């Protein structure tokens, strides 16, 4: 039975209280579902002086759809996101990813905000958020600001948030047509495993041709990445075998994978090509 | 920190360390050792309890997050003379070997049957994918849950 070091624990009721707590406690960390944080604290990788629990702040819970934008509150659980009818229709890629994020127990605890803030290069929801042109809403001592998700991750475990800021919501802006989007990963075990390589794609089709495309890859670079060369190549083209070959090639060229205990760099690069084809086809089949 | 939980239908109040895990609180402070601890990192599911009716791995839940909520553990399910259909089915199917994973399996399965009494064996496999068993090979566990589901439906 492992016991954790003693730390201060502040369960806050509002975002303002959370920001104040972060300001007045050096070395404090926000805790949401705790599925990354509790593990990190247990093995000593993370040693916060204080935990600021925002998991029950009302204004951070729930999904709202207004003026065409979709706002997912930071404390909304993965289970509630993947079961939400609007999310299922408007952002199927996010639902694909949420279903793969741990098993049922983890989905009942984990949040989208936690997944984003943990900043793993393999984070399940990163690809979907990249292809959905999502924005991160953050609140700090000087108020709210919005950060495009592609500028949010700076490296493994590093984000654009200041230590006194909290992520308050993930926003899918109006005008983003996410209906044809998909996410897949290569993994060993269905639950409780992280991606060896993962990919998300979104397309808008007109008369069978790609009008707009977004492609993202995870676990092939220090942060999740977009494959912009392939996105612009796809414009105006149909998803034929030859076109998909070229896209796979461009996607592979964009990777900088590493070899670790889980997979070799060569394998990751090869799978990036395979996955990109599959997610594009899967996205295009959705309506 | 003083916390209050509705534990298996009974109000429980205690002073505890807020970031202590719910699993450790149940086992070491309340003496409810039916909830098992193995990996302590969320991977095996043996510490599964229901928090407001939803299965969670209690080794990762700071007990402070259970304050004011309902917690169901294996101890609340049934007793020898009056077992829950899931318990009957696990015994009937010989779905138990060493037994260590079983409380977690049963609590996750209970949450499934509470939401979906007509669960198929596919559903059972999916929801139990976060629960590891080192002994049985899973087949009999899945069968037991499906049989229990039929029983629950019949008694509607
Ligand atoms: C068994 C198991 C399986 C898993 N499987 C997967 C998987 O398949 N795919 C995957 O991507 N991940 C997986 N994870 C990792 C984890 O569950 C996810 O990253 C999850 O989304 C984290 O969310 P949380 O709410 O639990 O975050 P927490 O652990 O509470 O927080 C994570 C980090 O984000 C910070 N943070 C959280 N919220 C905020 C906020 N609002 N503002 C600022 N900082 C914040 C915290 O300080 C912490 O550093 C798994 C974890 C476990 C234990
Ligand atoms: S002990 Fe909690 S999941 Fe293994
Ligand atoms: S019966 Fe032994 S671990 Fe499942």
């Amino acid at each position: 039975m492992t016991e954790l070091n003693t730390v201060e624990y502040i369960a806050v009721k509002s975002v303002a209280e959370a920001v104040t707590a972060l300001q007045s406690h050096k070395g404090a960390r926000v805790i949401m579902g705790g599925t990354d944080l509790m593990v990190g604290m247990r093995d000593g990788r993370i040693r916060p002086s204080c935990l600021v629990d925002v998991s029950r702040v009302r204004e951070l819970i729930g999904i709202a759809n207004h003026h065409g934008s979709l706002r997912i509150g930071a404390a909304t659980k993965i289970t509630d996101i993947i079961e939400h009818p609007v999310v299922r229709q408007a952002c199927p890629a996010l639902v694909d990813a949420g279903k793969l994020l741990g098993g049922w127990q983890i989905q009942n605890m984990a949040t989208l905000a936690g997944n984003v803030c943990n900043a793993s290069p393999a984070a399940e929801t990163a690809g979907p958020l990249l292809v959905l042109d999502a924005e991160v809403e953050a609140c700090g001592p000087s108020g709210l600001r919005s950060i495009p998700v592609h500028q949010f991750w700076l490296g493994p475990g590093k984000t654009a948030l200041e230590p006194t800021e909290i992520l308050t919501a993930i926003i899918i802006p109006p005008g983003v047509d996410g209906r044809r989007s998909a996410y897949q990963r290569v993994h060993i075990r269905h639950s409780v495993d992280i991606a060896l390589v993962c990919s998300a794609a979104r397309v808008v089709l007109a008369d069978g041709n790609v009008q707009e495309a977004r492609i993202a890859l995870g676990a092939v670079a220090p942060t999740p990445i977009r494959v912009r060369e392939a996105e612009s190549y796809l414009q105006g083209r149909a998803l034929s075998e030859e076109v998909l070959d070229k896209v796979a090639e461009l996607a592979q060229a964009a990777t900088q994978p590493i070899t670790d205990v889980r997979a070799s760099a060569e394998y990751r690069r090869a799978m990036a090509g395979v996955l990109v084809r599959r997610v594009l086809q899967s996205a295009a089949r959705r309506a | 920190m003083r916390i209050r939980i509705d534990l298996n239908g009974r109000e429980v109040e205690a002073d505890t360390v807020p970031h202590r895990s719910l699993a450790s609180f149940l086992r070491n402070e309340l003496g409810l050792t039916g909830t098992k601890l193995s990996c302590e990192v969320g991977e095996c599911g043996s510490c599964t309890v229901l928090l407001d009716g939803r299965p969670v791995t209690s080794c990762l839940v700071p007990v402070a997050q259970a304050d004011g909520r309902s917690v169901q553990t294996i101890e609340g399910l049934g007793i020898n003379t009056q077992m829950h259909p899931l318990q009957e089915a696990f015994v009937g199917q010989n779905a138990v070997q060493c037994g260590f994973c079983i409380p977690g399996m049963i609590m996750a399965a209970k949450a499934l049957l509470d939401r979906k009494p007509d669960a198929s064996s596919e559903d059972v496999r999916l929801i139990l994918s976060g629960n590891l068993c080192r002994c049985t090979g899973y087949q009999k566990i899945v069968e037991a849950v499906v049989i229990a589901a039929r029983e629950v439906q019949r008694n509607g």
Side-chain angles (χ1 to χ4, degrees), chain A residues 58-83:
Chain A
R58 280 260 167 72
E59 56 196 297
L60 295 181
I61 303 174
I63 299 171
N65 183 14
H66 47 88
H67 306 303
S69 82
L70 194 64
R71 186 176 195 281
I72 304 178
T76 313
K77 301 292 184 188
I78 297 292
T79 299
D80 296 314
I81 296 173
I82 64 185
E83 289 178 356

mmCIF file of all heavy atoms in Angstrom, chain A residues 58-83:
data_model
loop_
_atom_site.group_PDB
_atom_site.id
_atom_site.type_symbol
_atom_site.label_atom_id
_atom_site.label_comp_id
_atom_site.label_asym_id
_atom_site.label_seq_id
_atom_site.Cartn_x
_atom_site.Cartn_y
_atom_site.Cartn_z
ATOM 1 N N ARG A 58 -18.879 24.155 -11.126
ATOM 2 C CA ARG A 58 -20.069 24.084 -11.995
ATOM 3 C C ARG A 58 -19.842 24.670 -13.376
ATOM 4 O O ARG A 58 -20.177 24.073 -14.386
ATOM 5 C CB ARG A 58 -21.238 24.855 -11.348
ATOM 6 C CG ARG A 58 -21.932 24.076 -10.281
ATOM 7 C CD ARG A 58 -23.242 23.441 -10.800
ATOM 8 N NE ARG A 58 -23.728 22.454 -9.839
ATOM 9 C CZ ARG A 58 -24.261 22.758 -8.656
ATOM 10 N NH1 ARG A 58 -24.404 24.022 -8.305
ATOM 11 N NH2 ARG A 58 -24.664 21.818 -7.842
ATOM 12 N N GLU A 59 -19.243 25.886 -13.390
ATOM 13 C CA GLU A 59 -19.083 26.594 -14.675
ATOM 14 C C GLU A 59 -18.133 25.859 -15.626
ATOM 15 O O GLU A 59 -18.047 26.198 -16.803
ATOM 16 C CB GLU A 59 -18.587 28.036 -14.427
ATOM 17 C CG GLU A 59 -17.296 28.084 -13.631
ATOM 18 C CD GLU A 59 -16.953 29.450 -13.017
ATOM 19 O OE1 GLU A 59 -16.747 30.409 -13.768
ATOM 20 O OE2 GLU A 59 -16.861 29.541 -11.785
ATOM 21 N N LEU A 60 -17.430 24.839 -15.109
ATOM 22 C CA LEU A 60 -16.504 24.095 -15.973
ATOM 23 C C LEU A 60 -17.094 22.781 -16.481
ATOM 24 O O LEU A 60 -16.446 22.041 -17.205
ATOM 25 C CB LEU A 60 -15.200 23.789 -15.208
ATOM 26 C CG LEU A 60 -14.339 24.972 -14.795
ATOM 27 C CD1 LEU A 60 -13.075 24.493 -14.079
ATOM 28 C CD2 LEU A 60 -13.948 25.804 -16.011
ATOM 29 N N ILE A 61 -18.325 22.478 -16.051
ATOM 30 C CA ILE A 61 -18.912 21.193 -16.428
ATOM 31 C C ILE A 61 -19.992 21.377 -17.482
ATOM 32 O O ILE A 61 -20.881 22.215 -17.327
ATOM 33 C CB ILE A 61 -19.511 20.479 -15.187
ATOM 34 C CG1 ILE A 61 -18.431 20.288 -14.116
ATOM 35 C CG2 ILE A 61 -20.116 19.119 -15.577
ATOM 36 C CD1 ILE A 61 -18.938 19.726 -12.800
ATOM 37 N N GLY A 62 -19.913 20.598 -18.544
ATOM 38 C CA GLY A 62 -21.001 20.580 -19.514
ATOM 39 C C GLY A 62 -20.592 20.997 -20.914
ATOM 40 O O GLY A 62 -19.509 21.553 -21.136
ATOM 41 N N ILE A 63 -21.496 20.720 -21.844
ATOM 42 C CA ILE A 63 -21.239 20.979 -23.252
ATOM 43 C C ILE A 63 -22.326 21.917 -23.763
ATOM 44 O O ILE A 63 -23.515 21.644 -23.586
ATOM 45 C CB ILE A 63 -21.252 19.655 -24.037
ATOM 46 C CG1 ILE A 63 -20.135 18.735 -23.492
ATOM 47 C CG2 ILE A 63 -21.101 19.896 -25.541
ATOM 48 C CD1 ILE A 63 -20.157 17.327 -24.009
ATOM 49 N N ALA A 64 -21.915 23.027 -24.340
ATOM 50 C CA ALA A 64 -22.900 23.997 -24.818
ATOM 51 C C ALA A 64 -22.667 24.272 -26.283
ATOM 52 O O ALA A 64 -21.532 24.322 -26.754
ATOM 53 C CB ALA A 64 -22.789 25.296 -24.027
ATOM 54 N N ASN A 65 -23.781 24.456 -26.978
ATOM 55 C CA ASN A 65 -23.725 24.645 -28.414
ATOM 56 C C ASN A 65 -24.415 25.967 -28.702
ATOM 57 O O ASN A 65 -25.629 26.034 -28.703
ATOM 58 C CB ASN A 65 -24.480 23.466 -29.051
ATOM 59 C CG ASN A 65 -24.442 23.477 -30.543
ATOM 60 O OD1 ASN A 65 -23.646 24.202 -31.135
ATOM 61 N ND2 ASN A 65 -25.302 22.679 -31.158
ATOM 62 N N HIS A 66 -23.634 27.044 -28.877
ATOM 63 C CA HIS A 66 -24.334 28.278 -29.248
ATOM 64 C C HIS A 66 -23.613 29.042 -30.347
ATOM 65 O O HIS A 66 -22.398 29.055 -30.421
ATOM 66 C CB HIS A 66 -24.651 29.172 -28.039
ATOM 67 C CG HIS A 66 -23.520 29.375 -27.104
ATOM 68 N ND1 HIS A 66 -22.610 30.357 -27.258
ATOM 69 C CD2 HIS A 66 -23.171 28.698 -25.985
ATOM 70 C CE1 HIS A 66 -21.732 30.294 -26.274
ATOM 71 N NE2 HIS A 66 -22.035 29.292 -25.498
ATOM 72 N N HIS A 67 -24.435 29.663 -31.210
ATOM 73 C CA HIS A 67 -23.938 30.397 -32.372
ATOM 74 C C HIS A 67 -22.972 29.551 -33.178
ATOM 75 O O HIS A 67 -21.945 30.050 -33.659
ATOM 76 C CB HIS A 67 -23.290 31.721 -31.950
ATOM 77 C CG HIS A 67 -24.185 32.571 -31.101
ATOM 78 N ND1 HIS A 67 -25.430 32.975 -31.537
ATOM 79 C CD2 HIS A 67 -24.046 33.062 -29.843
ATOM 80 C CE1 HIS A 67 -26.000 33.697 -30.585
ATOM 81 N NE2 HIS A 67 -25.198 33.752 -29.547
ATOM 82 N N GLY A 68 -23.276 28.270 -33.279
ATOM 83 C CA GLY A 68 -22.468 27.413 -34.153
ATOM 84 C C GLY A 68 -21.159 26.937 -33.555
ATOM 85 O O GLY A 68 -20.448 26.152 -34.157
ATOM 86 N N SER A 69 -20.810 27.444 -32.368
ATOM 87 C CA SER A 69 -19.578 26.930 -31.772
ATOM 88 C C SER A 69 -19.934 25.930 -30.671
ATOM 89 O O SER A 69 -20.995 25.997 -30.068
ATOM 90 C CB SER A 69 -18.721 28.067 -31.217
ATOM 91 O OG SER A 69 -19.183 28.437 -29.943
ATOM 92 N N LEU A 70 -19.027 25.005 -30.458
ATOM 93 C CA LEU A 70 -19.262 23.966 -29.465
ATOM 94 C C LEU A 70 -18.264 24.181 -28.335
ATOM 95 O O LEU A 70 -17.048 24.228 -28.568
ATOM 96 C CB LEU A 70 -19.037 22.605 -30.134
ATOM 97 C CG LEU A 70 -19.532 21.394 -29.381
ATOM 98 C CD1 LEU A 70 -21.046 21.436 -29.234
ATOM 99 C CD2 LEU A 70 -19.117 20.125 -30.118
ATOM 100 N N ARG A 71 -18.794 24.337 -27.115
ATOM 101 C CA ARG A 71 -17.919 24.628 -25.984
ATOM 102 C C ARG A 71 -17.954 23.450 -25.016
ATOM 103 O O ARG A 71 -19.008 23.129 -24.460
ATOM 104 C CB ARG A 71 -18.430 25.889 -25.290
ATOM 105 C CG ARG A 71 -17.555 26.400 -24.193
ATOM 106 C CD ARG A 71 -18.120 27.714 -23.651
ATOM 107 N NE ARG A 71 -17.134 28.405 -22.840
ATOM 108 C CZ ARG A 71 -16.863 28.071 -21.595
ATOM 109 N NH1 ARG A 71 -17.525 27.099 -21.020
ATOM 110 N NH2 ARG A 71 -15.931 28.732 -20.915
ATOM 111 N N ILE A 72 -16.819 22.820 -24.834
ATOM 112 C CA ILE A 72 -16.740 21.671 -23.925
ATOM 113 C C ILE A 72 -16.028 22.125 -22.662
ATOM 114 O O ILE A 72 -14.836 22.450 -22.676
ATOM 115 C CB ILE A 72 -15.989 20.491 -24.577
ATOM 116 C CG1 ILE A 72 -16.655 20.115 -25.914
ATOM 117 C CG2 ILE A 72 -15.936 19.291 -23.625
ATOM 118 C CD1 ILE A 72 -15.974 18.993 -26.669
ATOM 119 N N GLY A 73 -16.766 22.191 -21.572
ATOM 120 C CA GLY A 73 -16.212 22.652 -20.301
ATOM 121 C C GLY A 73 -15.075 21.746 -19.842
ATOM 122 O O GLY A 73 -15.120 20.530 -20.034
ATOM 123 N N ALA A 74 -14.073 22.361 -19.216
ATOM 124 C CA ALA A 74 -12.847 21.641 -18.878
ATOM 125 C C ALA A 74 -13.082 20.423 -17.986
ATOM 126 O O ALA A 74 -12.375 19.429 -18.083
ATOM 127 C CB ALA A 74 -11.865 22.592 -18.197
ATOM 128 N N ALA A 75 -14.087 20.498 -17.096
ATOM 129 C CA ALA A 75 -14.277 19.410 -16.143
ATOM 130 C C ALA A 75 -15.253 18.340 -16.639
ATOM 131 O O ALA A 75 -15.602 17.423 -15.899
ATOM 132 C CB ALA A 75 -14.747 19.975 -14.797
ATOM 133 N N THR A 76 -15.676 18.436 -17.904
ATOM 134 C CA THR A 76 -16.592 17.435 -18.464
ATOM 135 C C THR A 76 -15.848 16.109 -18.639
ATOM 136 O O THR A 76 -14.733 16.075 -19.159
ATOM 137 C CB THR A 76 -17.118 17.913 -19.842
ATOM 138 O OG1 THR A 76 -17.526 19.279 -19.711
ATOM 139 C CG2 THR A 76 -18.295 17.083 -20.308
ATOM 140 N N LYS A 77 -16.473 15.039 -18.169
ATOM 141 C CA LYS A 77 -15.822 13.728 -18.237
ATOM 142 C C LYS A 77 -15.847 13.175 -19.666
ATOM 143 O O LYS A 77 -16.791 13.442 -20.422
ATOM 144 C CB LYS A 77 -16.541 12.733 -17.318
ATOM 145 C CG LYS A 77 -16.569 13.161 -15.853
ATOM 146 C CD LYS A 77 -15.191 13.120 -15.255
ATOM 147 C CE LYS A 77 -15.206 13.444 -13.757
ATOM 148 N NZ LYS A 77 -13.836 13.578 -13.230
ATOM 149 N N ILE A 78 -14.861 12.363 -19.996
ATOM 150 C CA ILE A 78 -14.795 11.748 -21.330
ATOM 151 C C ILE A 78 -16.097 10.993 -21.633
ATOM 152 O O ILE A 78 -16.644 11.094 -22.736
ATOM 153 C CB ILE A 78 -13.575 10.796 -21.436
ATOM 154 C CG1 ILE A 78 -12.252 11.561 -21.269
ATOM 155 C CG2 ILE A 78 -13.600 10.016 -22.759
ATOM 156 C CD1 ILE A 78 -11.889 12.516 -22.381
ATOM 157 N N THR A 79 -16.628 10.263 -20.661
ATOM 158 C CA THR A 79 -17.881 9.527 -20.866
ATOM 159 C C THR A 79 -18.999 10.461 -21.343
ATOM 160 O O THR A 79 -19.753 10.126 -22.249
ATOM 161 C CB THR A 79 -18.325 8.851 -19.549
ATOM 162 O OG1 THR A 79 -17.303 7.940 -19.167
ATOM 163 C CG2 THR A 79 -19.635 8.103 -19.707
ATOM 164 N N ASP A 80 -19.112 11.630 -20.724
ATOM 165 C CA ASP A 80 -20.195 12.552 -21.084
ATOM 166 C C ASP A 80 -19.959 13.186 -22.448
ATOM 167 O O ASP A 80 -20.909 13.553 -23.131
ATOM 168 C CB ASP A 80 -20.339 13.635 -20.008
ATOM 169 C CG ASP A 80 -20.757 13.020 -18.682
ATOM 170 O OD1 ASP A 80 -21.681 12.191 -18.692
ATOM 171 O OD2 ASP A 80 -20.136 13.338 -17.648
ATOM 172 N N ILE A 81 -18.688 13.285 -22.834
ATOM 173 C CA ILE A 81 -18.379 13.833 -24.158
ATOM 174 C C ILE A 81 -18.751 12.816 -25.231
ATOM 175 O O ILE A 81 -19.434 13.145 -26.201
ATOM 176 C CB ILE A 81 -16.880 14.222 -24.251
ATOM 177 C CG1 ILE A 81 -16.569 15.347 -23.256
ATOM 178 C CG2 ILE A 81 -16.515 14.623 -25.679
ATOM 179 C CD1 ILE A 81 -15.103 15.702 -23.133
ATOM 180 N N ILE A 82 -18.337 11.557 -25.046
ATOM 181 C CA ILE A 82 -18.575 10.583 -26.125
ATOM 182 C C ILE A 82 -20.035 10.159 -26.223
ATOM 183 O O ILE A 82 -20.453 9.619 -27.228
ATOM 184 C CB ILE A 82 -17.639 9.351 -26.031
ATOM 185 C CG1 ILE A 82 -17.880 8.534 -24.762
ATOM 186 C CG2 ILE A 82 -16.189 9.765 -26.106
ATOM 187 C CD1 ILE A 82 -16.887 7.391 -24.586
ATOM 188 N N GLU A 83 -20.819 10.430 -25.164
ATOM 189 C CA GLU A 83 -22.243 10.095 -25.236
ATOM 190 C C GLU A 83 -23.100 11.273 -25.681
ATOM 191 O O GLU A 83 -24.311 11.140 -25.835
ATOM 192 C CB GLU A 83 -22.727 9.586 -23.866
ATOM 193 C CG GLU A 83 -22.173 8.212 -23.536
ATOM 194 C CD GLU A 83 -22.608 7.700 -22.167
ATOM 195 O OE1 GLU A 83 -23.280 8.446 -21.431
ATOM 196 O OE2 GLU A 83 -22.245 6.549 -21.861
#
